[in-house]
Amino acid sequence: MTVSPLAAWRDRLAALAPVLDVAEVPFRSQLTVRVSDPDAIAAMGATLGVLFPSAACTFTSGTGRFGDVEVLWLGPDEFLVTASPGLRVTIEEVLRGALGTVRGSVVDTSAQRTTVVLQGAQGREVLAHGCSVDLHPAAAPVGTCVQTLLARTGIVLQVTGEDTLTVLVRSSFAEYFAAWLADACTEYLAVP
Amino acid sequence: MQLIPCPWCGPREEAEFHYGGQAHVAYPGDPSALSDEEWARYVFFRENPSGPFAERWSHNAGCRRWFNAVRDTRTHDLLAVYRVGEPMPEVTA
Amino acid sequence: MSFRTDTGGAIDRNTLLRFTFNGVEHTGHPGDTLASALLANGVHEIGSSVKLGRPRGVVAAGSEDPTSLVQVEAPFSEPMLLATTVELYDGLVARGLAGQGKLSSEPDPARYDAKHEHCDVLVVGAGPAGLVAALTAARSGARVVLVDEQNQAGGALLGVDEYLDDRPSAEWVADIVAELKSTPDVLVLERTTAFGMYQDGFVLALQKRTDHLGFAAPASVARQRVWRIRTRQTVLATGAHERPVVFADNDRPGIMLASSARTFLHHYGVLPGSRAVVFTTNDSAYCAAIDLAESGVDIAVVVDARPEAPARLAAECAARGIEVRAGQLVTGTEGPGRVTAVQVGDDRIACDALLVSGGWNPVVSLFSQARGTLRYDAELGAFVPGRELATVRVAGSATGELDLTACTRQGRDAGAGAAAAAGFTSGSQVPLPASDSRCTARSGLVLWRVPGNDDASFVDLQRDSTVADVLRATGAGLRSLEHIKRYTTIGTAHDQGKTSGMIAAGIVAEALGVELSEQRPTTFRPPFTSVSFAALAGRDRGDLHDPVRVTSIHPWHVQHGALFENVGQWKRPWYYPQPGEDLHAAVLRECRATRESVGMMDGSTLGKIDVQGRDAGEFLDMLYTNMMSNLKVGKIRYGVMCGVDGMVIDDGTVIRVGEERYIVTTTTGNAAKVLDWMEEWLQTEWPHLDVHCTSVTEHWATIPLVGPKSRAVLAAVAPSLDVSNEAFEFMTWHDTEVAGVPARVCRISFSGELAYEINVTAWHGLAVWEALMAAGERYGITPYGTETMHVLRAEKGYPIIGQETDATVTPQDLGMSWAVSKKKPDFIGKRSFARAENNRSDRKQLVGLLPVDPAVLLPEGSQIVETDRLPEPPVRMLGHVTSSYPSAALGRTFALALVRSGHERIGETLYVPVEDSLVPVTVTESVLYDKEGARRDG
């Protein structure tokens, strides 16, 4: 029996439609990878079927033996690999295998953050109430991935589609994030 | 709200950063070889110039990398940022 | 009597709004401000002055007004608003203030908001210069934000009835606004005041979004919003404020700036009175005189301080039967409250309004905030922007330019320049309009004051500061305007000296006999206009004031009646009271149950850091005072961490999970700090080390299961785990399944009892907690909170970082020399342990205190003294009580304390001042319970 951080918020998040379709995508497999060796990075990418991002503040996605996998740039030698639920143990093993004896680390951080997907044309507008990073489509095109602050919590923000944003938030801050989001949507919901 | 140009993530608001004091103060190679005074100098003493000052910052809420910056203490203007291990660049205040 | 004109003004005459001011009902129209509506009703007396209680009226028509302070009472009580900026709505209730309002004691029901906005070009001010600047920038394709504090664009054009290119100026304005609003990536913000300009193109602007709707404001819409604008280039088209001239009794209601009277006429359809005297030093007031005369006001006389009146304007006055007296001054006024007569030379001229113009002050506040330097323009008698800044341009009358076409040319140049600097090439050129205005304000006379009764010549009407006050300051030897500002308080009221600051500077320069060009103006600081704390707080209030961090097990704690303690941002169960129990009763019960059978707590908030890499052991050896590299896989060691100064900064356990992998735990409050500390050393000092640290604090739920029956409970839920003492030793860990869930179980104790810490992924935390509760039911398993945890650990003398320590405490002070390695050549803090200061015999050391009366509970934080009677102050303090509890296990109260030379004082009697008495206490070792550790293995 598992419970995700925003399980109790499902209905309240759903009620933000039609402004935003908001849903937690629970139990995603998430691995924090620290590595800087280019060969090891390539090997890890090959194992997952996705090229690791080479540019700062971006993410990449691809499909391989673990299905759809995303790799988020978190720092110059730090990545977050995300995939469907249930794969964290296996992916940790294969990444560790791909790393071999090269300097680096692989850590299962699946429950450290939860994933929330925001779909809707006004997503960038709503987040601009608490996020100081420029979210204009020209400044934050699809493929953008930034770690920043949203109001008073840290987030990882992925621009996953023209009108789709994916937010990863630390589990203990998830309810704060949900409450903030609901509050920020209030005014948009009131406009017919 | 000042912008601090993280060498990795680009300009971000200062609220995302953490201050780390004077840069280029190396941990002594052999602390036990130092006199009390020399050790105290390392632990407690820092420069406090009026003008360009090399200091350490960490992009805490972003990529969590430490880097160095030269800041003019009179204006708060950041004159240069550079990565750990790089020499302090020439700046004109 | 109504002072409303028959036609004109941007008001909706078909709709009547009712409002109450100072208890009297009045009516006005949509488009009115509270001030214009009051003036239309002939009400000039708004409030009274803060110190002298003299009546105060309306001096200016906009946000520069120094006097019309009101308290709005309904729909919500809000103090210190200007009647000139409160838009009228139906049902408004307000009263005039005597310089000070009162904050409501009720919570404000309105919503407040903030929003980030990014642009290439920000234009502040939607007057003629700002509009042309914004349109020029917009046509280049730049992202443009235009903010303006009025409820509609137009700026100074709103207060005149002039034509631009042979059509009403409002049409010209409307065309530009329409084009701006239809251009992509252009944001036009009305009712929005840019109130602060900071580094790197950061501008804060307050938008009043529903204030003007009054009772009809929708509850779901944020009433005010703080825009956090980040721009690459800024054009300041902030305009100019008319300034008065100071003379005796210049503070009466009915004395108003001439251009403001003109604004009331043209924008609101309101006359300032029936019979007006105009007093001017420049041309611009002539237009007010002529316009008002044409609207039916009897202009008694135009008093022009210049030796000669301008011929053309004088002729226009003559044509309308208006007398012009050149080379004369207004030297005083009369009236019971509102002005009834004006003294001009030897003549006493009856009137009910006195309209004054002393010239124009460019609004340079934001430019100055942006670190722009100012220069004195002697012709204008005002500080104007000096050298242009790389990212800030100034256009229009904010530069001191007062000709409309020239202002718009500046706007066009500034808009194009800003766009170009942001990387945009200009689009089609915005044509510059030609004005039919008769009056320009240049060629004026700079006149600060008319000599007279200095004590009644008011410089700052809001602060009741007079010429006499200024002369007192200069007479006392003050020369700097900054000092004089503080001495006289001129410019420190809500208006920040918008109309008074320049005059004060002028009077000071005259008094000191110096040139104003040599005087440094006072520094302009945000906010430009008042901003309420509610607006600054935005949605960061109530539940959103600070994030509340919760664990995966939190719902259970809530459901079972836990009271919570804030630990940093975490909500941790404090204790779980049963019906009728207070804190003490509940904690005694929880402690007893845990020591006698089994208890359980939610320890998920503990910081957890995964440390991996070939050099992980070497790294941890440097960070902790004791050795970690020789820890065997499968084992756990307690560790203390110090700063380079040798003072304890954190403690926790180090778990070796593999040859090159450890998990270290930190205290709840220091989790982020310790990770930062590790990264700092790794990145800046030892980048050669092959070590990586990753926070897994929230990946794991951690449940300490504590007490003699914990082994039996664990056995019941972990059937594949051999829980015997031999197979599962103290300070070791095993991976297993608990309640069917993969778990890491560590044998760690923070209470001295047999205990286990069960770690599962946070997703499973709640289920495993419930399984443990069920399995422990037959033993009366008792959930306990932080208070019981504190008592249990204190009975064992275990310190809490931040409670027993305060950044001046070494491991040796805590009696933990055993945790400080003698073998390691170096670790952080080691060298400091050899400093003389660290080896003084009178350092404060951790000891136990037992009150001689076992029922007395010492207040935490109490001081400790040596004698049973207090000597004359200063009294030597030996230390303080760090923790103090009643103990179920000891059957008495006890405390921990930091005491000078504490370790040597064991057995001594010391005294703790509590209220009026000195409580005798016996100093003991810090470990008070189970000293021999017999309970550890169950």
Side-chain angles (χ1 to χ4, degrees):
Chain A
M1 167 67 183
T2 51
V3 183
S4 65
L6 290 176
W9 276 81
R10 198 177 57 190
D11 294 347
R12 280 175 282 177
L13 292 178
L16 302 181
V19 172
L20 285 177
D21 289 318
V22 183
E24 182 187 24
V25 185
F27 312 127
R28 296 267 297 163
S29 302
Q30 300 179 47
L31 290 302
T32 299
V33 178
R34 298 289 295 271
V35 59
S36 51
D37 179 76
D39 294 338
I41 290 175
M44 288 180 161
T47 305
L48 300 174
V50 51
L51 221 54
F52 273 46
S54 54
C57 301
T58 63
F59 74 95
T60 53
S61 46
T63 306
R65 54 194 273 223
F66 299 107
D68 294 338
V69 174
E70 290 178 348
V71 183
L72 286 59
W73 185 96
L74 296 187
D77 69 347
E78 185 170 353
F79 303 92
L80 187 70
V81 172
T82 70
S84 298
L87 301 169
R88 58 193 179 93
V89 177
T90 337
I91 294 181
E92 182 178 352
E93 272 169 23
V94 303
L95 286 177
R96 203 176 292 287
L99 182 64
T101 56
V102 167
R103 172 179 173 155
S105 72
V106 180
V107 182
D108 178 8
T109 51
S110 302
Q112 176 84 349
R113 299 181 181 91
T114 195
T115 307
V116 183
V117 174
L118 290 67
Q119 205 145 14
Q122 296 189 101
R124 294 169 194 259
E125 284 282 309
V126 172
L127 291 195
H129 288 271
C131 179
S132 69
V133 171
D134 189 358
L135 299 177
H136 189 281
V142 175
T144 297
C145 172
V146 291
Q147 290 183 89
T148 185
L149 297 171
L150 181 85
R152 292 170 180 248
T153 178
I155 57 163
V156 181
L157 173 63
Q158 288 175 267
V159 182
T160 38
E162 287 300 336
D163 289 334
T164 311
L165 301 167
T166 300
V167 172
L168 278 70
V169 60
R170 297 265 295 241
S171 300
S172 67
F173 287 95
E175 293 205 38
Y176 168 80
F177 167 73
W180 183 91
L181 187 67
D183 194 72
C185 282
T186 307
E187 188 167 320
Y188 295 85
L189 284 165
V191 176
Chain B
M1 182 73 76
Q2 189 164 9
L3 286 181
I4 296 178
C6 169
W8 304 101
C9 304
R12 296 284 185 89
E13 292 201 341
E14 66 182 289
E16 295 193 4
F17 295 83
H18 183 88
Y19 184 62
Q22 185 179 350
H24 308 300
V25 181
Y27 186 76
D30 182 6
S32 65
L34 302 184
S35 68
D36 272 12
E37 195 189 323
E38 288 166 332
W39 176 250
R41 200 148 274 285
Y42 164 71
V43 175
F44 300 115
F45 286 65
R46 293 296 181 268
E47 298 298 317
N48 184 22
S50 169
F53 185 42
E55 53 196 23
R56 305 182 312 156
W57 288 86
S58 161
H59 189 193
N60 248 40
C63 65
R64 300 196 304 124
R65 283 323 101 156
W66 283 88
F67 59 93
N68 295 323
V70 183
R71 181 176 60 97
D72 189 328
T73 59
R74 295 164 301 185
T75 60
H76 289 296
D77 287 339
L78 288 168
L79 307 174
V81 294
Y82 53 107
R83 293 172 185 176
V84 170
E86 293 177 351
M88 177 177 159
E90 295 277 327
V91 293
T92 42
Chain C
M1 180 179 171
S2 172
F3 289 84
R4 188 75 74 177
T5 57
D6 294 334
T7 56
I11 52 167
D12 172 11
R13 289 170 190 267
N14 297 320
T15 307
L16 213 59
L17 302 177
R18 294 171 192 287
F19 70 100
T20 306
F21 185 73
N22 285 347
V24 181
E25 281 200 28
H26 303 281
T27 59
H29 300 292
D32 263 325
T33 61
L34 175 58
S36 71
L38 286 170
L39 296 179
N41 286 284
V43 179
H44 275 250
E45 291 189 27
I46 304 293
S48 54
S49 72
V50 67
K51 278 191 292 197
L52 305 173
R54 291 168 67 110
R56 290 284 179 259
V58 176
V59 171
S63 65
E64 73 275 28
D65 182 48
T67 49
S68 69
L69 284 177
V70 298
Q71 175 114 11
V72 167
E73 301 283 17
F76 183 74
S77 182
E78 195 174 6
M80 299 298 276
L81 300 178
L82 279 175
T84 55
T85 60
V86 173
E87 293 185 50
L88 195 67
Y89 49 82
D90 201 47
L92 172 71
V93 179
R95 62 184 169 85
L97 291 176
Q100 277 180 335
K102 192 167 179 287
L103 278 172
S104 173
S105 52
E106 299 295 309
D108 187 343
R111 296 174 60 80
Y112 294 85
D113 185 24
K115 195 172 183 200
H116 295 267
E117 186 67 33
H118 299 257
C119 61
D120 299 308
V121 178
L122 167 69
V123 179
V124 180
L131 285 169
V132 173
L135 188 58
T136 301
R139 284 184 179 177
S140 75
R143 285 165 75 182
V144 175
V145 175
L146 171 63
V147 302
D148 186 86
E149 72 176 348
Q150 310 275 352
N151 60 6
Q152 62 188 102
L157 297 174
L158 298 174
V160 299
D161 65 342
E162 290 161 4
Y163 276 55
L164 295 183
D165 297 339
D166 300 322
R167 56 183 184 142
S169 57
E171 288 181 17
W172 178 84
V173 170
D175 283 355
I176 292 188
V177 171
E179 183 178 341
L180 284 171
K181 286 189 173 172
S182 65
T183 307
D185 286 332
V186 173
L187 180 65
V188 179
L189 296 172
E190 285 127 6
R191 298 188 172 94
T192 305
T193 305
F195 66 82
M197 189 156 187
Y198 307 83
Q199 265 182 307
D200 301 319
F202 190 58
V203 176
L204 292 180
L206 179 74
Q207 184 182 26
K208 295 187 173 173
R209 303 172 74 229
T210 67
D211 290 34
H212 62 290
L213 300 177
F215 290 89
S220 58
V221 176
R223 177 181 178 231
Q224 298 181 353
R225 171 181 294 169
V226 174
W227 288 87
R228 305 171 66 87
I229 301 168
R230 182 72 67 176
T231 184
R232 296 163 75 186
Q233 294 285 325
T234 303
V235 177
L236 296 175
T238 43
H241 289 148
E242 194 167 25
R243 68 166 176 263
V245 177
V246 175
F247 45 84
D249 294 318
N250 59 331
D251 63 329
R252 287 185 203 286
I255 303 176
M256 188 183 289
L257 290 163
S259 68
S260 292
R262 201 174 173 212
T263 298
F264 280 119
L265 169 67
H266 293 302
H267 195 53
Y268 303 104
V270 172
L271 303 175
S274 317
R275 182 175 157 85
V277 171
V278 176
F279 176 32
T280 187
T281 64
N282 63 83
D283 288 1
S284 67
Y286 283 84
C287 276
I290 293 166
D291 290 358
L292 287 165
E294 288 179 350
S295 301
V297 177
D298 175 12
I299 303 295
V301 60
V302 174
V303 180
D304 193 326
R306 293 172 292 184
E308 271 184 56
R312 192 176 52 79
L313 290 169
E316 289 213 34
C317 286
R320 290 167 177 83
I322 303 171
E323 181 194 357
V324 176
R325 294 194 193 179
Q328 297 210 22
L329 301 170
V330 168
T331 54
T333 70
E334 287 174 28
R338 182 175 173 180
V339 64
T340 54
V342 168
Q343 196 70 34
V344 180
D346 295 331
D347 290 342
R348 179 184 171 281
I349 301 169
C351 64
D352 60 359
L354 170 56
L355 313 179
V356 183
S357 177
W360 295 80
N361 296 331
V363 178
V364 293
S365 180
L366 293 179
F367 183 75
S368 171
Q369 287 179 28
R371 297 186 194 162
T373 53
L374 305 177
R375 135 187 104 70
Y376 181 66
D377 181 329
E379 190 196 339
L380 208 58
F383 288 110
V384 298
R387 207 157 35 84
E388 206 159 71
L389 300 171
T391 58
V392 183
R393 291 166 168 73
V394 187
S397 54
T399 66
E401 177 57 62
L402 296 164
D403 172 74
L404 185 126
T405 307
C407 283
T408 52
R409 180 174 296 111
Q410 286 184 344
R412 192 168 71 184
D413 291 348
F424 295 85
T425 44
S426 40
S428 66
Q429 204 172 54
V430 180
L432 303 183
S435 165
D436 69 342
S437 176
R438 289 178 283 223
C439 315
T440 63
R442 277 272 172 192
S443 70
L445 171 78
V446 176
L447 177 67
W448 308 120
R449 66 176 182 121
V450 177
N453 179 3
D454 290 345
D455 285 316
S457 297
F458 289 87
V459 180
D460 186 331
L461 272 64
Q462 183 48 233
R463 283 288 186 239
D464 274 339
S465 301
T466 63
V467 172
D469 294 324
V470 176
L471 298 180
R472 200 171 294 122
T474 55
L478 302 183
R479 301 183 67 84
S480 146
L481 291 177
E482 293 286 1
H483 293 159
I484 291 164
K485 170 179 174 176
R486 281 152 185 81
Y487 187 86
T488 61
T489 72
I490 289 172
T492 61
H494 71 280
D495 64 331
Q496 291 287 289
K498 289 183 179 67
T499 52
S500 59
M502 192 61 235
I503 294 174
I507 295 172
V508 167
E510 277 181 4
L512 295 176
V514 300
E515 293 297 321
L516 261 168
S517 53
E518 293 157 21
Q519 276 278 26
R520 227 174 95 169
T522 55
T523 307
F524 291 85
R525 293 193 178 83
F528 175 67
T529 50
S530 311
V531 180
S532 71
F533 282 110
L536 292 174
R539 56 168 47 79
D540 292 349
R541 58 181 198 173
D543 289 345
L544 297 178
H545 175 250
D546 199 31
V548 171
R549 299 179 70 182
V550 294
T551 72
S552 57
I553 310 168
H554 187 76
W556 191 96
H557 308 317
V558 173
Q559 216 179 343
H560 290 79
L563 295 183
F564 291 90
E565 180 182 27
N566 293 328
V567 182
Q569 292 172 316
W570 288 100
K571 285 268 178 239
R572 299 197 68 182
W574 186 19
Y575 60 102
Y576 298 80
Q578 291 187 349
E581 277 185 339
D582 62 3
L583 170 72
H584 283 317
V587 169
L588 285 174
R589 173 182 52 74
E590 290 174 10
C591 286
R592 192 173 293 121
T594 303
R595 290 227 186 271
E596 289 173 7
S597 180
V598 60
M600 183 164 90
M601 80 174 302
D602 183 355
S604 305
T605 61
L606 276 184
K608 304 161 206 91
I609 300 167
D610 182 300
V611 182
Q612 273 185 59
R614 205 160 293 142
D615 301 319
E618 184 186 333
F619 174 60
L620 295 177
D621 278 351
M622 281 302 289
L623 282 192
Y624 287 94
T625 58
N626 41 356
M627 190 83 98
M628 294 301 173
S629 55
N630 65 357
L631 186 66
K632 293 200 168 48
V633 175
K635 300 248 179 201
I636 302 168
R637 188 167 287 161
Y638 171 80
V640 177
M641 218 177 252
C642 290
V644 287
D645 59 359
M647 302 303 158
V648 175
I649 55 174
D650 204 53
D651 70 346
T653 53
V654 175
I655 302 162
R656 188 155 198 177
V657 294
E659 275 307 322
E660 299 183 358
R661 190 172 187 183
Y662 298 77
I663 303 273
V664 308
T665 66
T666 75
T667 56
T668 295
N670 282 341
K673 237 179 280 175
V674 170
L675 180 63
D676 288 348
W677 179 243
M678 290 178 161
E679 286 288 353
E680 182 178 342
W681 287 99
L682 280 175
Q683 291 181 35
T684 69
E685 284 293 339
W686 307 315
H688 60 280
L689 290 184
D690 175 0
V691 183
H692 289 105
C693 303
T694 306
S695 169
V696 287
T697 297
E698 284 149 83
H699 180 69
W700 297 103
T702 301
I703 306 170
L705 182 68
V706 182
K709 297 294 181 204
S710 59
R711 181 174 283 136
V713 175
L714 179 62
V717 289
S720 58
L721 182 67
D722 183 347
V723 296
S724 68
N725 196 40
E726 297 70 35
F728 197 166
E729 290 176 45
F730 183 58
M731 295 305 258
T732 65
W733 59 269
H734 288 278
D735 279 350
T736 181
E737 280 196 354
V738 171
V741 173
R744 173 166 297 147
V745 183
C746 303
R747 245 196 88 186
I748 298 170
S749 179
F750 197 42
S751 58
E753 299 298 327
L754 172 71
Y756 302 87
E757 262 180 28
I758 298 157
N759 295 281
V760 293
T761 68
W763 303 331
H764 295 100
L766 185 55
V768 169
W769 175 276
E770 284 174 338
L772 288 165
M773 284 301 296
E777 199 178 349
R778 55 190 288 216
Y779 305 106
I781 192 166
T782 300
Y784 67 85
T786 51
E787 192 67 17
T788 290
M789 173 190 79
H790 280 196
V791 177
L792 297 176
R793 64 87 205 177
E795 289 167 348
K796 289 291 291 177
Y798 298 149
I800 297 251
I801 304 302
Q803 183 155 341
E804 269 66 42
T805 69
D806 61 359
T808 68
V809 178
T810 66
Q812 295 85 351
D813 297 337
L814 293 175
M816 287 190 173
S817 298
W818 56 267
V820 179
S821 166
K822 308 244 177 340
K823 285 186 230 154
K824 291 194 289 185
D826 193 25
F827 55 85
I828 296 170
K830 179 181 168 84
R831 176 63 186 82
S832 288
F833 295 152
R835 294 179 67 231
E837 182 64 30
N838 288 54
N839 289 288
R840 286 168 55 146
S841 59
D842 63 345
R843 287 189 64 82
K844 289 183 185 172
Q845 296 164 330
L846 185 68
V847 293
L849 296 182
L850 292 176
V852 171
D853 176 349
V856 168
L857 183 66
L858 301 172
E860 289 177 355
S862 296
Q863 295 289 331
I864 298 160
V865 299
E866 199 148 24
T867 51
D868 62 354
R869 219 172 289 166
L870 285 183
E872 283 301 301
V875 180
R876 184 166 179 249
M877 300 296 172
L878 297 181
H880 70 279
V881 175
T882 58
S883 295
S884 174
Y885 312 98
S887 164
L890 304 175
R892 54 160 301 136
T893 61
F894 74 104
L896 296 177
L898 286 169
V899 178
R900 281 202 187 284
S901 312
H903 295 157
E904 287 170 20
R905 290 180 186 271
I906 287 169
E908 281 184 24
T909 300
L910 297 175
Y911 299 87
V912 176
V914 179
E915 288 168 8
D916 291 333
S917 64
L918 284 174
V919 176
V921 297
T922 308
V923 181
T924 71
E925 285 176 31
S926 55
V927 185
L928 291 160
Y929 179 73
D930 185 29
K931 282 180 193 163
E932 44 302 322
R935 306 188 58 83
R936 191 190 76 187
D937 295 330

